[in-house]
Amino acid sequence: MASRSLDDLAPEVKQKAERVLQVCDEVELNLLIYCTLRTLEEQSKLYRQSRSWQEIKTKILKYKDRGFSYLADILDGVGPCNGPHVTNAGPGESWHNYAEAWDAVPLMGGKPAWKYSDGKEEWDAYGECVVQVGMDWAGNWTHFRERPHAQLRSGSNPLRIFAPDKIYEILSQNKLI
Amino acid sequence: MLPLLAALPAIFSTVSKVSNLFGKGKAVVEQVTGKPSEASSPDELQEEVESLTPEQQAQWAQTMQQKIDLYKTENDRLDIEIGRITPELQSKLTPEAANKIAIMRQTTRPWAVRMMVHYTFFPFYLVLFDSIQLTITHWFGISEARVFKTFNYVFGTLTIKDMDTPALEKFSALLSQPQNLTLAAEMYMNSIGWVISVIISYMTLREIGKAKGTSGDELTHQQNNPSGAVGLTQGGLGLVNKVKAAFGKK
């Protein structure tokens, strides 16, 4: 289960999240941050739980071919897992794995306004907060708009953006590896 | 996440009433799970979604809600463009008048009209298709390739034996002489008049709507309460402006 604690975020991201919450409080916008960190091990377990060993082996080889041996080791190391199919993302393929992203929803009358139409102004205000603190708001994406999602760096899949060394450096900086 | 999951029954209820949304629901399942949906009915789709993880269900619900919102917006626009028939108004009409209006509303849907316009041009599409085939075989020198004369197959043989007679006259003769008509051509000739009438009626209704204008219309809730970018351009002090002001202070 992914964490919803701000303490699990990378220090810079945590600071930004706190600033967002502070401003939302000032303007009387209730905001709930409901997802912060999902560790590489958790992501690996979820990825493995609906896949055959053959599929896992292929994924591990892909990681190794692309220079992500440390992610291949994590995927290999969590061992066999059982459960339904829950994700298409392997370890390292979501910014939540790097403690650099959060998901939040505005609350209206104590209830989350999941629908944009239920709280356009609130969603826009939340998006403005995210942008103002220098994060990338997925509500501005054109391909797959995901208004709750905010991340420190741009790009949907970190492994497609950064080289293995850079990814390793980010994970080390965030003390996740 | 739980409240989003709680919204699922309402989403399923809407999806089961609109076939277009059912198709979109299946596409979103594929988008979320990476595997194509095998549902053949809204009930099966519901079972399929309920078998997903809470996270995937939430993602499905959120995406579908956006699609439903878009659908509602489009239909609101259609209501305004075509003329809003409320249940109150319909209850005051005679059954015959209500039926007429129902037929008019169906036949003046833009998608239906678009299809009718294509239908009108159907013979020309066939001619175009035949020309493309001939061009391809000519350009690529595939002399042995078989060219399907689709126009002739559907409407009867159209050959220009006498080059002195204009092609248009021959085309008109082909469709107007009863002995030349195939069943498809006969059906086409019988229906085309109605189709053109519907298209003209639709365009007339639209022009009347445009001429009527919107001067007497009341502002919608959204226009009365601008938010986000609209609020900014209209100088309103919405939440977004408050956020900007809050960040501007420090």
Side-chain angles (χ1 to χ4, degrees), chain A residues 92-106:
Chain A
E93 291 180 331
S94 160
W95 284 113
H96 284 286
N97 300 154
Y98 300 77
E100 291 195 358
W102 72 70
D103 290 336
V105 59

Side-chain angles (χ1 to χ4, degrees), chain B residues 85-95 97-99 101-102 105:
Chain B
I85 306 294
T86 61
E88 288 78 14
L89 178 58
Q90 209 149 17
S91 67
K92 291 182 174 61
L93 297 172
T94 61
N99 284 342
I101 288 171
R105 280 167 65 79

Side-chain angles (χ1 to χ4, degrees), chain A residues 2 19-20 22-23 26-29 34-35 38 46 49 84-88 112 114-117 120-126 128-129 132-133 144-148, chain B residues 1-5 30-35 51-53 55-56 59 62-63 65-66 69 72 222 226-229 237-240 242-244 246-250:
Chain A
R19 178 77 177 123
V20 166
Q22 183 200 346
V23 170
E26 278 177 34
V27 300
E28 294 173 350
L29 167 63
Y34 62 90
C35 177
R38 184 184 293 137
L46 292 175
Q49 71 182 20
H85 182 91
V86 292
T87 183
N88 290 323
W114 294 105
K115 292 193 293 181
Y116 178 63
S117 56
K120 289 181 183 175
E121 202 172 14
E122 287 74 10
W123 277 110
D124 288 344
Y126 164 59
E128 185 62 34
C129 282
Q132 287 282 350
V133 296
F144 182 71
R145 190 171 290 174
E146 195 189 352
R147 289 191 176 85
Chain B
M1 188 182 290
L2 282 177
L4 186 54
L5 297 182
E30 186 174 359
Q31 188 182 320
V32 170
T33 63
K35 291 179 180 173
S51 68
L52 302 177
T53 61
E55 271 189 358
Q56 286 179 319
Q59 199 183 342
Q62 194 185 357
T63 311
Q65 195 56 60
Q66 287 168 359
D69 288 345
K72 283 179 180 164
Q222 194 181 348
S227 69
L237 193 63
L239 266 178
V240 175
K242 285 183 186 173
V243 166
K244 285 190 173 175
F247 277 103
K249 279 193 299 193
K250 291 172 188 175

